[in-house]
Amino acid sequence: MPTTGNNVFTPWATVALLTALLGAAPTLSSAQDAENPYTSRIDVRTGRRLFQAQCSTCHGLNAAGGNESTGPDLTTGRFRHADSDAGLFRVIRDGVRSTSMLGLGADADDQSVWQLVTYLRSLDVTAGGTPTGSAAAGRQLFAGKGACTSCHMVHGQGKRLGPDLSQVGDRRALGDLQTDLVQPDTEVSPRWWTMKASGPGGQIVEGLRMDEDTFTFRIMDSDEQLRAFSKYGDWTYERLQRSTMPSYAETLTEDERNDLAAYLFSLRSEP
Amino acid sequence: MTPTTMVSPVAVALTVLGLGLGLAAIAPPVAAQPRSVDGAAVFSPVTWERLVNAADEPHNWLMYNGTLDSQRFSRLDQIDTSNVGQLELKWAHHIPQLDRAETTPLVVDGVMFITESPSNVVAVDAVTGRPFWRYDHPLPDDLRVCCGRNNRGVSILGEMLYMSTLDAHVVAIDGRSGSLVWSRQVADYRSGYSKTAAPLIVKDQVVTGIAGGEYGIRGFLDSYDAKTGERLWRTHTIPGPDHPDNRSWAGDSWRTGGSPTWITGSYDPELNLVYWGTGNPGPDWNGDVRQGDNLYADSVLALDGDTGEMSWYFQFTPHDVHDWDAIQVPVLADIELDGETRKAMLWANRNGFYYTLDRETGEFLLGKPFAKQTWAEGLDENGRPIRRPDTSPSQEGTLVSPMAGGATNWWSPAFSPRTGLMYVNAFDGEALFFSREQEYNEGDNFTGGGTETPLPIEHYHSAIRAIDPTTGDITWEFPITPRSRAGVLATAGDLVFSASVDGYFYALDAGTGAPLWHISLGGPVHAQPMTYAVGGQQFVSMTVGNTLYTFGLDGER
């Protein structure tokens, strides 16, 4: 697998020079009317690489502007000169007249421009939508009716039988959080699978799969005790690839779930 | 170890050198740790005859794959199924440069040669791990390496070591002092060429390959005069336009078609044939720009041992678009097939199929999947895959098994003539393969796409598999969680040693796959185990993380 690579564009300075000499917007291609066809994680990675080579001088290495960068922060999900992917495509390729934003030029291939769009979209934490519910109400539900704290910890409060949610808004989009509440088995991290161990004399111990390797595994049981087992000793084991979390499809109303999702989405690391 | 009184080496040195200088008076003899092997670490020149008959001196590990047939089988049997559970740590060697440690050390008469990241070699006492000398190869800052700054080992002829370097040189180093004797540029690293594999000694030649399949190189295999470093022959792994097989590449795509040779091959002295695997065609995931079979990428080549002229080739994956390098060690073994002894070559390929070939002619004898694969219906009577439609990388991603990393990879397999089984590190994975347009720029990454694994690694299955080369069937498997990037060693103690990314080093019963011993050493493994003996004691060594560990039985020592 390759892990490194260099830019495939004309160097930035050359583009700037060409744009200055020609002094006119390059011809538009049909690509700007289409949907972005390059949206995989591969394209995010390639787009980031292209961004760091082409755009980071002004917009910062992580597109957040600031420090010595002169270009605006591109991570907010809002762009002054574009309100769609096609608009972003046009700005990246053609630049913005009468500003220091120089486009890549008409020679830039569509694929690369789209990959830059994909990268910028990947930085937007609100890409999955903005909350309609009340985070304050969701907070009440979290500790109250939802009984989430009987498994989850937030800022040191709660239990240990589910993921710590103190920064869940950083890693899950709003739509994912809403799905998690009604379909907890859709995407279960192996860390939260259950290991069921059966030992001598009919003993059975179940617990969350904290870690597993070729010869051993370690779990947290329902009493939050840490327990370690050998795979080749007296115990047999079974791996249950499902979540221990209940679905809230019946026990909470849609409005309550929206409130809860809004609360979870608000849980972020410090900016 | 005999616990009788031993003369300290310090005392010997002082007696020999010091008496006339009065040194004995200021440095009285110190009671040294008693060792029956004191003074034994003196190697005699490793002749070509010794290399041909390396299996007959199993206390030494004289080349990357142990022997010219690359079976990675040792006749040592002091450590066996009955006592392997008593293995204990004897010593450890820390590798100072942190990167993937992929080395297989050599041991020659009590001296061990360990290569280190990025392109260094250190000689240590094989009983204690303490150093004699080290050679640190100077490297430029702008190397082109796809997959880590690593080196897999040296080769030896006479008293000279030969090593590949990341700046695409081959160097000759004096085995007693670590002095550089000659250095030869093989290719220009700025064009994407690099070297990571141990060379193979063939008579008086240093045969050595090249890496760079992700940089649009044109692959080759070279031979250098061991004494002078003069290049004797170069065989391109992509034929030039004067050869009919060049037409297996559309247009000029052959010029940047990859097909590197980044793992060590094998040699059959009776047939005088060098066998070498070739890597992926480039760009890896966009085959549209290189229509055709793309010969001789993803193949095994059989070359004349004196001239490098091709005797035959067998292409495992014509027109590969999944990065399935045929960079596996060619395992040579004579096996019974339909009542006939065949000079065979055993090959578990990155593409998910196991093959038994006739190594004299390249004839396909049998083959079948040894790991999960979804890209082919099977192999036809000539061993050519019957490809399924819609398995090529695409703009939106195409789900295919094996993943790009393969059903196996460069991790050395082993073959035990005692069990008749081949032991392979196998992985049942899958990946989404994406194809992208990409222009070639010299020295830049040139892959034409990428891959991603849709699920966490825990969803997939990994194992050491024992394959019967007479049928291609799997006799047993030992499951690994989550996976392994280690090679395998087989011994006459009927043991199979290997390791895994979770940091275990372990021994299995070669007949059944039952785990007999394991130890958690804490770091991921990217190397191969090897075994040797000094003073009648067998050791087994494995590099885990950035430390080489050596184990042995308690015994008297």
Side-chain angles (χ1 to χ4, degrees):
Chain A
M1 278 281 295
T3 53
T4 57
N6 295 320
N7 59 305
V8 295
F9 281 154
T10 322
W12 185 89
T14 314
V15 175
L17 182 64
L18 279 175
T19 310
L21 286 174
L22 297 172
T27 320
L28 300 179
S29 84
S30 61
Q32 62 169 323
D33 302 322
E35 276 188 28
N36 186 348
Y38 301 97
T39 56
S40 75
R41 273 182 282 177
I42 302 301
D43 299 300
V44 175
R45 281 206 290 273
T46 310
R48 181 173 58 230
R49 210 159 63 213
L50 296 169
F51 186 91
Q52 290 176 349
Q54 298 291 318
C55 319
S56 61
T57 308
C58 296
H59 290 288
L61 205 58
N62 295 311
N67 293 331
E68 294 172 24
S69 310
T70 56
D73 181 351
L74 300 177
T75 67
T76 63
R78 285 182 296 279
F79 302 95
R80 188 179 301 175
H81 300 285
D83 57 4
S84 64
D85 282 2
L88 277 174
F89 181 99
R90 195 166 51 242
V91 169
I92 292 167
R93 197 190 56 179
D94 304 338
V96 179
R97 195 187 286 265
S98 306
T99 72
S100 54
M101 172 63 199
L102 302 175
L104 295 170
D107 291 343
D109 62 292
D110 288 357
Q111 176 184 297
S112 299
V113 179
W114 281 127
Q115 286 170 327
L116 281 163
V117 172
T118 297
Y119 169 63
L120 292 179
R121 289 299 190 197
S122 78
L123 302 173
D124 175 13
V125 293
T126 62
T130 47
T132 55
S134 155
R139 185 176 185 162
Q140 299 296 321
L141 287 163
F142 190 81
K145 185 178 176 185
C148 308
T149 50
S150 62
C151 289
H152 293 283
M153 199 175 275
V154 172
H155 302 314
Q157 301 296 311
K159 293 189 74 178
R160 308 174 178 97
L161 300 175
D164 187 310
L165 300 177
S166 304
Q167 297 173 8
V168 70
D170 287 344
R171 58 179 190 269
R172 301 293 282 169
L174 186 66
D176 295 336
L177 290 166
Q178 285 163 330
T179 305
D180 293 342
L181 290 174
V182 293
Q183 294 172 0
D185 284 319
T186 302
E187 196 181 326
V188 186
S189 158
R191 163 65 179 86
W192 302 103
W193 289 347
T194 292
M195 298 297 275
K196 182 176 176 183
S198 309
Q203 302 175 72
I204 290 188
V205 177
E206 261 190 37
L208 295 159
R209 181 185 177 278
M210 301 186 77
D211 195 49
E212 181 188 356
D213 57 47
T214 303
F215 290 95
T216 64
F217 61 91
R218 285 152 301 285
I219 63 168
M220 174 178 282
D221 69 17
S222 54
D223 294 328
E224 302 188 341
Q225 291 297 327
L226 305 181
R227 306 182 69 160
F229 294 87
S230 164
K231 288 185 176 177
Y232 292 94
D234 297 333
W235 294 68
T236 59
Y237 67 97
E238 201 180 339
R239 194 187 291 122
L240 309 170
Q241 300 184 4
R242 57 171 188 255
S243 174
T244 52
M245 176 168 143
S247 166
Y248 287 93
E250 306 296 331
T251 50
L252 294 181
T253 66
E254 188 176 349
D255 285 347
E256 286 172 329
R257 289 198 303 272
N258 283 338
D259 291 344
L260 197 49
Y263 169 62
L264 294 170
F265 192 60
S266 74
L267 296 173
R268 305 266 173 78
S269 53
E270 293 300 315
Chain B
M1 177 72 229
T2 45
T4 50
T5 310
M6 301 294 293
V7 180
S8 142
V10 176
V12 173
L14 291 174
T15 307
V16 173
L17 301 171
L19 280 180
L21 304 170
L23 288 176
I26 52 170
V30 177
Q33 191 74 18
R35 292 173 41 191
S36 67
V37 291
D38 277 346
V42 178
F43 73 83
S44 51
V46 179
T47 60
W48 171 238
E49 288 67 33
R50 283 183 73 186
L51 292 175
V52 170
N53 300 307
D56 296 337
E57 43 178 302
H59 56 287
N60 288 328
W61 190 271
L62 294 179
M63 63 193 85
Y64 178 74
N65 287 315
T67 47
L68 289 169
D69 57 19
S70 300
Q71 292 184 359
R72 281 191 181 251
F73 172 80
S74 169
R75 291 186 195 164
L76 293 179
D77 62 0
Q78 186 180 79
I79 303 167
D80 62 21
T81 54
S82 72
N83 61 21
V84 67
Q86 297 154 34
L87 278 183
E88 58 180 40
L89 181 66
K90 296 300 180 184
W91 56 265
H93 168 79
H94 178 67
I95 296 172
Q97 295 278 328
L98 298 182
D99 212 309
R100 283 187 183 185
E102 300 188 346
T103 188
T104 299
L106 303 191
V107 168
V108 184
D109 303 333
V111 181
M112 178 182 281
F113 302 102
I114 306 163
T115 60
E116 301 180 341
S117 170
S119 297
N120 302 333
V121 57
V122 57
V124 305
D125 172 8
V127 175
T128 63
R130 306 310 300 183
F132 287 107
W133 55 257
R134 69 163 35 249
Y135 169 78
D136 290 338
H137 185 75
L139 288 168
D141 294 329
D142 55 343
L143 292 170
R144 272 72 163 177
V145 287
C146 73
C147 314
R149 288 153 47 95
N150 49 53
N151 184 286
R152 304 198 183 88
V154 286
S155 54
I156 187 166
L157 181 65
E159 301 177 357
M160 199 88 83
L161 303 176
Y162 301 93
M163 181 171 70
S164 293
T165 66
L166 287 174
D167 58 347
H169 284 58
V170 58
V171 294
I173 302 160
D174 176 40
R176 296 190 194 278
S177 66
S179 293
L180 181 68
V181 178
W182 56 255
S183 172
R184 185 74 50 194
Q185 177 175 308
V186 169
D188 188 346
Y189 76 91
R190 286 165 297 201
S191 301
Y193 293 86
S194 60
K195 283 176 62 59
T196 51
L200 178 72
I201 301 299
V202 177
K203 302 175 194 178
D204 53 0
Q205 306 167 73
V206 181
V207 178
T208 185
I210 195 78
E214 273 67 48
Y215 291 86
I217 66 156
R218 181 186 173 206
F220 53 79
L221 191 68
D222 276 359
S223 164
Y224 295 87
D225 183 304
K227 283 208 166 51
T228 64
E230 181 198 354
R231 195 166 88 197
L232 301 175
W233 49 262
R234 167 168 292 185
T235 299
H236 278 284
T237 55
I238 300 175
D242 52 341
H243 193 287
D245 287 340
N246 179 265
R247 289 194 284 276
S248 67
W249 297 82
D252 273 349
S253 61
W254 63 275
R255 293 181 187 278
T256 53
S259 192
T261 47
W262 53 271
I263 205 73
T264 309
S266 309
Y267 177 72
D268 184 325
E270 283 178 28
L271 300 174
N272 189 31
L273 289 175
V274 174
Y275 302 102
W276 218 280
T278 63
N280 63 279
D284 304 40
W285 295 293
N286 186 342
D288 295 347
V289 298
R290 48 173 175 80
Q291 292 293 339
D293 275 358
N294 305 142
L295 294 168
Y296 309 105
D298 288 355
S299 303
V300 54
L301 311 182
L303 308 181
D304 182 278
D306 295 306
T307 64
E309 194 185 340
M310 192 179 300
S311 173
W312 56 261
Y313 72 89
F314 179 87
Q315 188 177 40
F316 299 97
T317 315
H319 190 68
D320 174 24
V321 285
H322 297 100
D323 192 18
W324 291 329
D325 300 67
I327 291 290
Q328 288 80 44
V329 170
V331 177
L332 316 184
D334 295 347
I335 61 171
E336 291 292 319
L337 211 55
D338 302 325
E340 213 184 324
T341 302
R342 299 297 292 256
K343 287 179 180 296
M345 176 183 295
L346 321 182
W347 200 296
N349 194 281
R350 191 160 158 174
N351 70 12
F353 285 88
Y354 168 80
Y355 303 76
T356 298
L357 305 179
D358 182 317
R359 72 174 181 271
E360 204 163 355
T361 62
E363 181 194 351
F364 170 75
L365 301 178
L366 63 92
K368 61 175 65 166
F370 71 96
K372 184 183 176 191
Q373 70 82 22
T374 61
W375 67 284
E377 295 296 337
L379 304 175
D380 71 14
E381 70 275 14
N382 297 314
R384 188 180 173 94
I386 304 156
R387 202 181 288 263
R388 291 188 175 135
D390 304 322
T391 53
S392 291
S394 56
Q395 184 171 284
E396 65 280 8
T398 307
L399 190 66
V400 172
S401 294
M403 66 196 304
T408 189
N409 202 311
W410 62 273
W411 317 308
S412 312
F415 172 79
S416 168
R418 290 172 57 89
T419 61
L421 296 172
M422 179 172 178
Y423 305 99
V424 177
N425 171 358
F427 185 58
D428 300 326
E430 65 184 0
L432 282 163
F433 289 81
F434 296 87
S435 176
R436 293 291 180 265
E437 303 287 325
Q438 189 171 5
E439 278 178 40
Y440 171 75
N441 285 307
E442 186 172 351
D444 282 356
N445 186 289
F446 184 54
T447 58
T451 74
E452 61 185 45
T453 309
L455 295 172
I457 190 81
E458 288 84 351
H459 285 269
Y460 303 111
H461 186 65
S462 182
I464 300 294
R465 295 202 168 117
I467 301 173
D468 179 347
T470 64
T471 61
D473 293 336
I474 294 165
T475 303
W476 57 253
E477 76 158 40
F478 172 72
I480 293 166
T481 306
R483 68 170 303 180
S484 168
R485 293 194 183 92
V488 185
L489 165 74
T491 72
D494 287 333
L495 295 170
V496 169
F497 288 92
S498 193
S500 39
V501 293
D502 50 0
Y504 284 101
F505 181 33
Y506 52 82
L508 310 176
D509 184 311
T512 66
L516 300 177
W517 172 79
H518 67 269
I519 185 168
S520 175
L521 294 169
V525 182
H526 298 99
Q528 297 72 232
M530 51 78 72
T531 188
Y532 63 97
V534 184
Q537 172 156 22
Q538 184 182 358
F539 299 95
V540 55
S541 291
M542 182 78 230
T543 304
V544 178
N546 286 87
T547 305
L548 185 146
Y549 297 93
T550 293
F551 295 84
L553 296 171
D554 187 11
E556 294 176 350
R557 187 163 298 135

